[in-house]
Amino acid sequence: MRWWTPVWLLVGVVLGGAAGQWFGGQTVSKGDTSAVERCFCQLKGAIDDCSCSVETIDSFNNLRIFPRLNSLLHQNFFRYWKVNLNKKCPFWEDDGKCAIRYCSVQPCTDVPEGIKGAVTPNGIDTSQRQIKKSPPTATDCDAENDLGYLNTTLSKESIDGFERWAAHDDAQDSFCYLDDDSSLDSEYVDLLLNPERFTGYAGDSTHRIWRAIYQENCFKPTRSFRPYADFSNIGDLCLEKRAFYRAISGLHTSINIHLSAHYLLSDKNGFAESKDGVWGHNLEEFQRRFDPEMTGGEGPLRLKNLYFVYLLELRALAKAAPYLESLEFYTGNEAEDSDVRKAVTDLLTVVKSFPEHFKEETMFTGGLQATKLKEQFREHFRNISRIMDCVGCDKCRLWGKLQVTGLGTALKILFSGNFDQPLDQQLNLSAVKQTKFQLSRGEIVSLFNAFGRLSRSIMELENFRQKSLR
């Protein structure tokens, strides 16, 4: 297998089909709402490889999850994410940045001081590497004169070394290559000021990525040269590879829904040029991406895979709930931080109440072969996180990196083994902490925001469904 083969499976996550022509050459009449209805005809019933139905998730998400999660993601802890948008593409020569004004990312100028520090699960700022020690006693001072005195002072070099070891240990569980927060190229981005939406990014660069995705898809039993997901013969894959493929397809679908729901409808506001453009739902674009007649019958399958990846990330939140509930969510604003902790606990209580969670314990069973498959699964996803740096549109790159990191964090929770326990027993949080398992602030923010994107996508499906009936 070539070194770059695994990467191509997921790149479509970022670009989400910013150009309609990627999904077929047919045209759609504007306002053809009856055609849009076809997208939903098969979107019902059981979800493949899961025990629940589309209808169950629609009700649970739209009534109980989305309102809570949408409110939570407006809080300061979750709205600022540190990311490096200047990394070079590691796989080919850079084609240059997108010049369309909607591709740019607005810089962040006002980040709460508490967020800038490296915060531990106990809310302790470790960015200055301060080690608090008790005042020396007389006995301690006398001991310094003894032959057996041990100097326990740590040099900066030693602390740096310990941090590198910790980073190496954490990488063994990680499904993503995370940006280095200490890099001068890493900057905080206000996600609320830079929403995910259609930017017009298209062209040879995006086409090359799409071709690479599907021509080099090592988890697919047949090779397809079409520029979108191919579900033929997916039943020939084992459960783990089917899950991988469906998760990627679901994430791709979610982004396509965002782009169709937040489409640039006009640069004008009346007769004057609009500073930020006029954005809204585009039924024509939605149909182009999901109508079974325009996608070879695969549009409804893509939509169902959105529900699959939703269940996967929902299960990760439920599994890690005791750990997440122990965090401080520190920003420096005591009142706001207290509200966020209460809101997170409330959300996770609802998440845990879902009766038909994804059953990850059925995956990667079977000894040595399963272990090898799990490592292959991890390396594929880690490579995917690198391909995000090949996207020429900064805003597409931002949201692609965030959602891939969020899904990678969910996989880390599900398959690292740190949260495994019998279903009838409460997670032993102290045992988890003894393993030195830890999620960085960036992983936590991406986990909640990525799930928020999936939750909004399911809500937007209902909006498109209602528009098609008018």
Side-chain angles (χ1 to χ4, degrees), residues 335-398:
E336 181 179 318
D337 295 348
S338 176
D339 289 342
V340 168
R341 288 193 292 272
K342 292 175 183 177
V344 168
T345 298
D346 176 59
L347 172 67
L348 293 176
T349 299
V350 175
V351 167
K352 290 183 289 185
S353 73
F354 188 69
E356 299 177 279
H357 276 293
F358 181 79
K359 294 179 172 58
E360 80 286 348
E361 68 273 10
T362 63
M363 297 175 62
F364 303 113
T365 60
L368 181 60
Q369 190 60 34
T371 301
K372 291 181 178 179
L373 178 59
K374 184 176 180 179
E375 186 57 30
Q376 184 185 29
F377 193 102
R378 187 200 316 277
E379 286 306 313
H380 284 194
F381 205 93
R382 283 167 66 86
N383 281 333
I384 287 162
S385 67
R386 299 178 69 202
I387 202 66
M388 297 300 102
D389 292 314
C390 296
V391 181
C393 163
D394 277 349
K395 190 166 290 182
C396 303
R397 181 182 294 203
L398 165 65

Side-chain angles (χ1 to χ4, degrees), residues 290-364:
F290 301 112
D291 184 348
E293 291 189 6
M294 301 186 69
T295 59
E298 292 187 349
L301 297 176
R302 299 174 192 170
L303 291 173
K304 268 199 172 182
N305 286 333
L306 164 64
Y307 291 80
F308 181 89
V309 72
Y310 178 93
L311 285 173
L312 190 152
E313 294 195 15
L314 182 76
R315 170 56 182 156
L317 286 169
K319 193 171 185 177
Y323 174 87
L324 295 170
E325 289 168 344
S326 74
L327 303 180
E328 294 291 332
F329 298 99
Y330 180 75
T331 66
N333 184 320
E334 185 175 346
E336 181 179 318
D337 295 348
S338 176
D339 289 342
V340 168
R341 288 193 292 272
K342 292 175 183 177
V344 168
T345 298
D346 176 59
L347 172 67
L348 293 176
T349 299
V350 175
V351 167
K352 290 183 289 185
S353 73
F354 188 69
E356 299 177 279
H357 276 293
F358 181 79
K359 294 179 172 58
E360 80 286 348
E361 68 273 10
T362 63
M363 297 175 62
F364 303 113

Side-chain angles (χ1 to χ4, degrees), residues 41-83:
C41 290
Q42 301 174 43
L43 189 58
K44 56 187 176 181
I47 300 166
D48 293 332
D49 293 321
C50 297
S51 60
C52 67
S53 67
V54 166
E55 294 81 1
T56 298
I57 295 176
D58 278 339
S59 176
F60 182 73
N61 176 75
N62 296 352
L63 297 179
R64 304 189 66 191
I65 292 293
F66 179 77
R68 289 174 167 86
L69 188 54
N70 187 51
S71 175
L72 182 64
L73 296 179
H74 279 73
Q75 298 297 321
N76 280 340
F77 184 88
F78 293 103
R79 69 182 290 179
Y80 297 104
W81 193 57
K82 198 169 189 180
V83 61

Side-chain angles (χ1 to χ4, degrees), residues 410-443:
L411 296 175
K412 177 179 177 178
I413 291 169
L414 292 177
F415 301 120
S416 68
N418 290 286
F419 293 94
D420 292 345
Q421 81 280 342
L423 295 177
D424 59 347
Q425 295 182 17
Q426 181 69 24
L427 178 69
N428 185 343
L429 187 59
S430 61
V432 172
K433 290 182 177 179
Q434 288 175 6
T435 66
K436 298 182 180 180
F437 176 89
Q438 185 172 338
L439 296 177
S440 68
R441 181 183 175 279
E443 288 175 305

